[in-house]
Amino acid sequence: MKINRGKIALDEHDKLLEHSKGELDKIVEEAKMVRDGKVTMRVKMLKLPTPVYGEEQPTLVRGISGQGAKGQGTKILEVLGGSKGGDEHAEYEMRNMDFDEFIKYYQKLLLNDLDLPYMKKKRQGHDFHDEFELNDFSRDGMRCDLDLDMTIEQAYERAFREKKVVTADPRIDGWYWEEKPTQEIQYKSLEIYVMDVSGSVTSSVLGLVRKMIFCLYYYLDHKYTKNERKYIVFQDNADVKSRDEFFSTESKGGTHVSSGLKKALELAEGYNDYDKYLFFFSDFENASSDDELAKKTLYTIAESFTYMCMTNICSPKSADTTPFSTITKEVAEKHSHISYTVLHSETGIREAIINLLTKDDRVKKI
Amino acid sequence: MTELKKYEERLLRDAEALGLSFDDVLFKIATPDEIREIAAFGLPNRYLHWVFGAQYKNLDIMEKSGQMHIYELVLNSVPVIASLSRKNSQQENIMVMAHVFGHADVFHNNKEYKKTNKQMVHKAADNVSQIEDLKRKHSKKTIDDYLTALMSIAKASMNTFQFPAKKKRSLFYQLYDVAPTESHEKQLFDIVREESEYFDVVFRTQYLNEGWAQFMELELLGNYLSPNQWIDFAKSCSARPGPYQIGQVIFSSIKKQHGFEKCLEVRAYYDDIAIVGEFLTQKLVNKLKLGVKFGENIITDVGVVINEILEEKKYQNIPSLIVEGIEKRLGSSRLLLAYHEREGKKLEVDVKLPLYMQQVHLIWKHDIELAIYDAQKKRSDIFIFDGTLRRMK
């Protein structure tokens, strides 16, 4: 078992911080969340309380091109030292984070907050890898990794060289972990994320959808060795988008559910040896002229996907009783691999994930 | 690994031929996360505390946002343990191994490193057991809070570790000697003191140690790299932190002016204050494009640059509170602290000072009085801390 003391210490650190998830919640509600593959975030970190100087201090810098100039003729300056100051015990720093890394960072906070389970390490070989990172943080204080194969041998050599005795104490001498590679077998998923971007989608709804997608990523990343992901946005028409575009699309237009469903069906073609997932987000306020076609497409699509999650993102004030939401609920009742969730708050995310973990036979095995 | 082993042997032979000497060096390939973990704690098995979690978070974000990559992590121990990142290319690993031999040579020969505990890896592991026992006995929060206070005070007193005269009045050492401690608190004091002193050497020799390691890379790799590889290598060097570059340029200059033997002498007997004070010249400051930024102004005069580096080395940019005495009154003892302002070095008293005084109070357990003296050595302010910080009128 791999015990990551860095992550345990990080957990201890983050427990002392309040609102660290709140900071990120604001980011996921921004329409243009991803720019050039990066997310700009404010990172909050605790520092040991020490006295500081009350005024700005001189700093050593590198990268001067002029001589003694008054801030002129300078290129990018690398600050080599100096006090940072700060207005409280915790300090903030702005960081441009790679989107993938942002997701991983946020997932941990989300899972904690929503009280969702952690998964074992990514599936490899015939079954899951039998080692996994320690995520049971109550087990702090355990010694870090022992690699008896490698380091004890060295401990024997050292003990013999120094004391002429062949002895080793694993508690002292063994601390290094060497991972043994295993043969990898591919378990593949095709995940299609379909988002209604008609005019009624608010920033808080957008935030909820994104949070739910990050949670879905987490569980499906742990379930499959290869995750093929496709993204569709639709209003009157449906368009295939890249992931970054999907997370930076603004709302406009009316709702034609059938366009989104049909596009998903098209994209799923040819992925025969994949488990296919459809995650559909809409307020289900479909144009009445489209209801019949949408219903027909929904029944067709139900046969083509391994698991489908139909998520109603209607405003908390509205009831989920539009004609198309009623149709969707009926379809979900008739098919065990289709779930229907109303996403008014983070509780809805939890419900959708629990449905995925309990209803989908493949994920259930995790 | 077999290929790397061949390079390791060649580099070892070449390094010894140049006059370097070291304890056994044990190279290991580790994942970036393992390296990050050790870098955050400073040692592979050190007690758990949120402060290391904050360092881990910082490194994690910096690496993942592409701001830095840790190529290696080398421990001052016997044998020297060097972890090379699994992400490194073959060429990077060769560079890193040359770099590591430079560090191992400093660990073995430098007068400051000779005084350090070479079994600190094991000692820190023992400290983990002690602290875990104490957490079980006295509650995790009690022990964690006490450790936070001790580490804060040690960090703020670190600038006195190297000067015996200052050490006597240093808050950390004074509290170590006179603070009312229960046996478990004394145990924690010993641990924090021992580990802080071990890491203090690393801070005091950063320019020398990193500079020497980068200088040795240049010396050793001359035999291995093609012109294209040299270009990559030069780019990699210029992207490294300031102390690496400054230290390396100083050693190159010493070699040019006084020969390699002098370099060996400097790496054995100097620390950062000595090497920068004696060998950083205006020519090198210009070459390195160094300056000191005062608001909008940047001064590139060598005297100002040296002063700034020495300021950082002596004070670590942390105001130094010293102990003036202990005042006994009515069965209680008041700790008398003083802060002597230097020009442009006023103490921030509204936000950070109360937080810091809370830490001192946790250890001292009685009232504290802090007198502030201005640059003319006149007492300008007095504060009392008895759970809250109050300014005396």
Side-chain angles (χ1 to χ4, degrees):
Chain A
M1 183 173 65
K2 169 91 180 81
I3 301 166
N4 190 322
R5 292 169 62 82
K7 288 186 181 165
I8 298 172
L10 173 62
D11 188 67
E12 294 208 0
H13 169 269
D14 285 350
K15 269 185 209 159
L16 296 172
L17 287 177
E18 287 173 9
H19 310 305
S20 73
K21 179 170 163 290
E23 294 283 324
L24 303 187
D25 285 348
K26 286 180 204 152
I27 294 173
V28 292
E29 289 181 7
E30 285 172 18
K32 296 270 179 198
M33 175 187 168
V34 189
R35 291 169 204 269
D36 300 327
K38 305 268 183 194
V39 177
T40 304
M41 60 184 279
R42 236 162 59 119
V43 180
K44 194 175 182 185
M45 267 177 273
L46 283 175
K47 304 215 164 161
L48 281 174
T50 60
V52 297
Y53 294 118
E55 44 207 271
E56 194 187 346
Q57 294 300 305
T59 43
L60 186 64
V61 291
R62 185 169 64 160
I64 319 271
S65 59
Q67 288 296 310
K70 194 182 176 184
Q72 292 166 348
T74 53
K75 294 192 294 183
I76 298 167
L77 295 176
E78 180 202 351
V79 177
L80 303 177
S83 58
K84 282 184 180 167
D87 57 355
E88 51 177 342
H89 183 29
E91 291 176 4
Y92 294 94
E93 287 180 33
M94 296 301 289
R95 296 284 172 81
N96 271 329
M97 199 180 233
D98 196 65
F99 188 35
D100 283 319
E101 297 304 334
F102 171 82
I103 293 170
K104 280 186 204 159
Y105 184 76
Y106 195 35
Q107 277 171 340
K108 194 182 144 217
L109 297 172
L110 273 172
L111 264 53
N112 270 341
D113 221 44
L114 299 177
D115 195 22
L116 286 166
Y118 282 88
M119 292 291 118
K120 289 179 182 179
K121 211 172 175 178
K122 188 172 264 211
R123 188 172 182 169
Q124 281 180 325
H126 292 287
D127 204 342
F128 289 107
H129 209 282
D130 58 2
E131 62 179 82
F132 57 93
E133 284 194 350
L134 180 73
N135 46 49
D136 175 3
F137 294 113
S138 64
R139 299 178 65 173
D140 54 7
M142 285 187 66
R143 290 194 163 271
C144 66
D145 316 317
L146 300 179
D147 174 15
L148 300 180
D149 293 346
M150 189 170 166
T151 53
I152 297 302
E153 191 182 305
Q154 286 152 6
Y156 281 144
E157 283 173 16
R158 189 166 62 247
F160 185 72
R161 189 173 64 239
E162 290 170 2
K163 303 176 199 159
K164 303 293 173 214
V165 180
V166 179
T167 178
D169 180 353
R171 288 173 310 157
I172 294 171
D173 295 310
W175 54 267
Y176 191 81
W177 179 267
E178 184 76 2
E179 231 174 71
K180 292 182 179 64
T182 55
Q183 197 186 353
E184 192 167 297
I185 296 174
Q186 294 271 303
Y187 294 88
K188 297 185 282 190
S189 73
L190 170 71
E191 298 153 34
I192 301 179
Y193 297 85
V194 185
M195 173 78 181
D196 176 354
V197 288
S198 59
S200 53
V201 178
T202 63
S203 61
S204 62
V205 167
L206 198 60
L208 283 172
V209 170
R210 287 168 175 174
K211 286 181 215 176
M212 178 162 155
I213 293 176
F214 295 159
C215 290
L216 292 167
Y217 282 170
Y218 176 82
Y219 291 101
L220 294 166
D221 274 343
H222 282 75
K223 156 81 177 142
Y224 293 97
T225 49
K226 183 177 179 187
N227 301 78
E228 184 76 32
R229 292 187 170 132
K230 297 192 179 288
Y231 302 90
I232 297 169
V233 295
F234 75 94
Q235 2 87 27
D236 296 322
N237 300 307
D239 293 311
V240 178
K241 297 282 181 190
S242 70
R243 186 187 63 171
D244 289 3
E245 288 168 342
F246 182 80
F247 282 99
S248 297
T249 303
E250 292 185 46
S251 312
K252 57 184 177 185
T255 308
H256 276 73
V257 166
S258 65
S259 67
L261 292 174
K262 276 204 266 182
K263 187 60 87 180
L265 204 52
E266 277 171 41
L267 288 184
E269 274 176 24
Y271 286 88
N272 299 329
D273 53 344
Y274 285 69
D275 289 343
K276 295 177 197 166
Y277 291 83
L278 177 74
F279 300 104
F280 191 88
F281 301 90
S282 170
D283 59 7
F284 289 74
E285 286 181 12
N286 197 24
S288 53
S289 57
D290 186 56
D291 274 350
E292 208 41 51
L293 180 58
K295 180 179 177 181
K296 200 174 153 196
T297 316
L298 189 58
Y299 272 101
T300 314
I301 211 168
E303 305 307 318
S304 305
F305 280 83
T306 317
Y307 185 80
M308 285 168 56
C309 179
M310 304 297 288
T311 311
N312 193 333
I313 54 174
C314 62
S315 133
K317 287 174 191 164
S318 2
D320 63 323
T321 51
T322 61
F324 189 69
S325 63
T326 310
I327 294 168
T328 309
K329 277 187 255 183
E330 278 171 25
V331 177
E333 276 165 21
K334 289 180 187 164
H335 297 82
S336 62
H337 70 291
I338 300 178
S339 69
Y340 174 83
T341 308
V342 180
L343 193 60
H344 281 167
S345 66
E346 288 186 353
T347 318
I349 299 177
R350 190 169 193 282
E351 191 186 316
I353 297 297
I354 298 295
N355 274 337
L356 174 78
L357 296 178
T358 51
K359 277 190 162 185
D360 176 23
D361 288 341
R362 285 152 193 80
V363 179
K364 225 164 35 178
K365 288 176 193 160
I366 295 175
Chain B
M1 195 68 186
T2 323
E3 189 68 14
L4 281 179
K5 193 80 193 157
K6 282 184 203 158
Y7 280 106
E8 181 193 335
E9 283 162 10
R10 279 180 65 182
L11 286 165
L12 178 68
R13 275 200 306 275
D14 292 354
E16 285 176 339
L18 278 172
L20 273 61
S21 57
F22 22 71
D23 293 304
D24 290 348
V25 181
L26 187 65
F27 286 102
K28 291 173 170 182
I29 302 288
T31 64
D33 198 48
E34 284 159 346
I35 292 186
R36 197 179 307 130
E37 188 181 338
I38 302 171
F41 280 79
L43 288 164
N45 198 356
R46 203 172 172 198
Y47 59 86
L48 274 169
H49 190 274
W50 61 260
V51 75
F52 306 125
Q55 283 164 22
Y56 180 86
K57 183 174 185 173
N58 190 36
L59 292 172
D60 190 36
I61 293 171
M62 283 182 77
E63 280 202 86
K64 286 174 177 168
S65 59
Q67 291 177 65
M68 67 172 289
H69 165 62
I70 308 178
Y71 290 99
E72 48 80 22
L73 198 133
V74 55
L75 299 173
N76 167 30
S77 59
V78 177
V80 174
I81 300 165
S83 304
L84 313 184
S85 172
R86 191 169 280 178
K87 271 193 176 174
N88 295 348
S89 65
Q90 170 100 330
Q91 186 184 330
E92 284 167 340
N93 269 331
I94 296 166
M95 276 164 41
V96 169
M97 285 195 295
H99 191 94
V100 166
F101 282 123
H103 283 312
D105 174 67
V106 170
F107 296 157
H108 188 66
N109 293 291
N110 183 271
K111 70 177 170 62
E112 299 294 332
Y113 277 97
K114 279 186 176 178
K115 293 181 221 161
T116 57
N117 180 359
K118 302 289 181 186
Q119 298 303 316
M120 199 60 196
V121 172
H122 305 318
K123 186 64 184 64
D126 286 345
N127 293 343
V128 175
S129 309
Q130 285 189 49
I131 287 177
E132 290 311 319
D133 285 346
L134 294 180
K135 281 181 184 173
R136 277 188 286 275
K137 214 167 160 186
H138 299 275
S139 98
K140 181 176 176 326
K141 188 174 182 322
T142 307
I143 300 302
D144 277 349
D145 289 350
Y146 204 81
L147 280 171
T148 304
L150 286 177
M151 282 194 283
S152 297
I153 299 165
K155 190 176 175 195
S157 310
M158 196 79 95
N159 49 50
T160 57
F161 282 18
Q162 55 190 311
F163 305 110
K166 275 189 173 181
K167 205 166 163 175
K168 280 186 196 162
R169 298 173 78 190
S170 138
L171 182 53
F172 184 83
Y173 286 99
Q174 282 284 332
L175 289 173
Y176 181 82
D177 288 338
V178 300
T181 48
E182 293 178 33
S183 69
H184 70 280
E185 292 169 336
K186 195 74 181 165
Q187 223 176 320
L188 295 173
F189 244 122
D190 282 329
I191 289 170
V192 172
R193 176 185 170 154
E194 185 180 33
E195 295 192 6
S196 299
E197 286 177 349
Y198 175 81
F199 287 109
D200 177 53
V201 174
V202 178
F203 176 75
R204 282 195 279 131
T205 55
Q206 196 191 8
Y207 288 72
L208 180 130
N209 188 13
E210 294 299 352
W212 177 254
Q214 187 161 310
F215 174 65
M216 286 320 302
E217 265 181 87
L218 289 162
E219 293 290 309
L220 291 171
L221 293 176
N223 304 332
Y224 301 100
L225 300 183
S226 66
N228 280 342
Q229 286 173 321
W230 266 111
I231 293 170
D232 290 345
F233 176 54
K235 275 187 198 163
S236 150
C237 285
S238 66
R240 292 180 193 172
Y244 289 61
Q245 281 282 85
I246 297 170
Q248 179 242 303
V249 167
I250 288 175
F251 274 113
S252 297
S253 151
I254 296 171
K255 184 188 169 194
K256 206 171 162 187
Q257 288 183 39
H258 308 284
F260 191 75
E261 281 300 312
K262 180 70 179 174
C263 294
L264 290 172
E265 184 190 317
V266 170
R267 72 86 159 89
Y269 297 107
Y270 282 57
D271 60 11
D272 284 352
I273 290 181
I275 194 174
V276 169
E278 189 171 334
F279 295 107
L280 189 63
T281 60
Q282 186 66 57
K283 201 174 159 189
L284 297 184
V285 166
N286 296 346
K287 185 178 176 183
L288 286 158
K289 296 178 178 169
L290 294 177
V292 180
K293 198 165 177 282
F294 293 87
E296 288 300 304
N297 293 318
I298 295 171
I299 311 291
T300 54
D301 176 75
V302 63
V304 177
V305 170
I306 289 176
N307 272 345
E308 187 51 36
I309 295 176
L310 299 191
E311 174 74 26
E312 184 206 343
K313 287 288 146 188
K314 286 180 184 167
Y315 298 100
Q316 292 193 62
N317 294 301
I318 298 176
S320 183
L321 309 191
I322 55 168
V323 177
E324 287 203 316
I326 296 163
E327 190 179 82
K328 302 263 183 195
R329 55 165 72 177
L330 300 171
S332 174
S333 302
R334 178 175 282 189
L335 181 67
L336 306 176
L337 298 181
Y339 175 66
H340 294 270
E341 276 174 12
R342 292 171 293 133
E343 200 176 329
K345 308 282 179 189
K346 285 194 179 300
L347 184 66
E348 186 281 322
V349 296
D350 296 324
V351 182
K352 296 282 185 178
L353 185 63
L355 285 169
Y356 183 62
M357 295 304 267
Q358 267 175 23
Q359 311 305 314
V360 181
H361 191 253
L362 183 73
I363 306 297
W364 177 243
K365 298 178 179 133
H366 301 289
D367 294 357
I368 304 159
E369 184 178 307
L370 169 66
I372 296 181
Y373 296 87
D374 63 19
Q376 285 73 45
K377 299 188 177 176
K378 283 187 184 161
R379 196 147 80 167
S380 58
D381 237 333
I382 298 180
F383 293 91
I384 301 288
F385 190 91
D386 55 2
T388 327
L389 189 67
R390 288 197 300 268
R391 179 180 258 130
M392 298 293 285
K393 290 185 179 167

